[in-house]
Amino acid sequence: DTAVSQTPKYLVTQMGNDKSIKCEQNLGHDTMYWYKQDSKKFLKIMFSYNNKELIINETVPNRFSPKSPDKAHLNLHINSLELGDSAVYFCASSQGLPKQFFGPGTRLTVL
Amino acid sequence: DQQVKQNSPSLSVQEGRISILNCDYTNSMFDYFLWYKKYPAEGPTFLISISSIKDKNEDGRFTVFLNKSAKHLSLHIVPSQPGDSAVYFCAASIKGGSTLGRLYFGRGTQLTVWP
C-alpha cells in the first residue's frame, strides 16, 4: 500500500564503504527524485529522473550515482562514504505537477 | 543561497487557536508554492498548495495566503489541534526549463500545539 518506499530506513556504516539506498513508487509516476536533508534540516534536491532519464543533477559529488532500472525505481549508490554524507535521504515522485510524494527517508550515519 | 526562507524555527500555539506559519522567497520566477507537513521519522506529506495566479487557497482548517508583491506566503491553521504538531516546510517551484520538477524548500518551522 505504501506509495513511495525506501530501504533501508536506517543505515550505519564505516567511512570508505560503498552503500546503496533503494526507492520504489507504486503511483505510476514518471518522475522520481532524491533529496538530502542535512543536519541543518535543509531539504535539497540531488537528482531527478523522468522516465529513466536524468533531468536534474545538482552539484553533488560524483561518488553519488543514481540508477533507474525502470520508472518505478530510483536507487542511490554512494561510493567511498565520508563523514559529511551522514544525513537523511528522501526519495520522492511526481506526475506532471509540482506536487511530490515523499518516501519515509533513510537515515545514513557514517562513522 | 536560500531562495525560500522560514525565519521562525518554532511556533507554540494553544489548542483551538490560530497557527500562522510564514514563508518568504526571493526568486520572482517561482509560480507555485506548497506546504508540507512532517512528523518525526516520516517523510514530508503534502498539505496544501497555491498557484501564483491566486492569492488564497483554502482546504478545511488550512488556508494559504500569497502576497506576490511582498514575496511572502503564510499558512493559517484554524482551529489548531494537538495532532497538527509537526514540522511545516514551505516549498516553491518554477514551471518548465531546466528547473522542471525542482522544489526549493525552506528549513521548516516546528509547530507545537498544546492543550
Side-chain angles (χ1 to χ4, degrees), chain A residues 25 27-33 48-53 55 68 70-72 92-96:
Chain A
Q25 54 97 1
L27 298 167
H29 290 169
D30 287 337
T31 309
M32 296 184 72
Y33 312 81
S48 168
Y49 268 74
N50 182 266
N51 274 320
K52 303 196 299 175
E53 182 182 347
I55 58 172
S68 182
D70 54 62
K71 75 173 194 177
S93 72
S94 70
Q95 181 65 29

Side-chain angles (χ1 to χ4, degrees), chain A residues 9-10 31 33 35 37 40-45 48 55-58 90 94 96-105, chain B residues 1-2 4 31-32 34 36 38 41-46 49 89 93 95 98-108:
Chain A
K9 189 162 177 67
Y10 299 96
T31 309
Y33 312 81
Y35 286 85
Q37 186 180 33
K40 295 182 180 178
K41 305 302 181 187
F42 289 116
L43 260 170
K44 289 185 180 177
I45 192 165
S48 168
I55 58 172
I56 295 176
N57 185 351
E58 275 296 279
F90 290 99
S94 70
L97 296 173
K99 177 180 170 181
Q100 297 177 16
F101 294 80
F102 283 80
Chain B
D1 178 26
Q2 280 297 108
V4 177
D31 56 8
Y32 199 85
L34 308 90
Y36 280 83
K38 185 183 178 304
E42 294 184 11
T45 55
F46 172 77
S49 62
F89 288 97
S93 75
K95 290 180 185 175
S98 62
T99 65
L100 180 65
R102 184 195 306 262
L103 287 181
Y104 298 82
F105 281 88
R107 66 188 299 176

Side-chain angles (χ1 to χ4, degrees), chain B residues 4-50:
Chain B
V4 177
K5 300 178 184 179
Q6 293 176 258
N7 292 319
S8 298
S10 62
L11 175 67
S12 183
V13 170
Q14 187 175 25
E15 182 178 7
R17 304 270 188 164
I18 184 171
S19 296
I20 300 177
L21 297 102
N22 293 304
C23 178
D24 297 294
Y25 61 95
T26 58
N27 191 337
S28 57
M29 297 292 290
F30 288 146
D31 56 8
Y32 199 85
F33 304 89
L34 308 90
W35 284 94
Y36 280 83
K37 176 179 177 179
K38 185 183 178 304
Y39 292 116
E42 294 184 11
T45 55
F46 172 77
L47 190 57
I48 192 170
S49 62
I50 188 167

Side-chain angles (χ1 to χ4, degrees), chain B residues 33-108:
Chain B
F33 304 89
L34 308 90
W35 284 94
Y36 280 83
K37 176 179 177 179
K38 185 183 178 304
Y39 292 116
E42 294 184 11
T45 55
F46 172 77
L47 190 57
I48 192 170
S49 62
I50 188 167
S51 165
S52 61
I53 62 173
K54 295 185 175 182
D55 54 19
K56 176 183 175 181
N57 188 26
E58 191 171 353
D59 183 3
R61 297 185 297 113
F62 303 91
T63 303
V64 57
F65 295 92
L66 175 62
N67 183 334
K68 283 180 294 185
S69 61
K71 293 192 177 68
H72 177 84
L73 62 155
S74 60
L75 174 67
H76 293 211
I77 307 173
V78 183
S80 301
Q81 299 173 354
D84 296 330
S85 297
V87 177
Y88 289 79
F89 288 97
C90 173
S93 75
I94 306 169
K95 290 180 185 175
S98 62
T99 65
L100 180 65
R102 184 195 306 262
L103 287 181
Y104 298 82
F105 281 88
R107 66 188 299 176

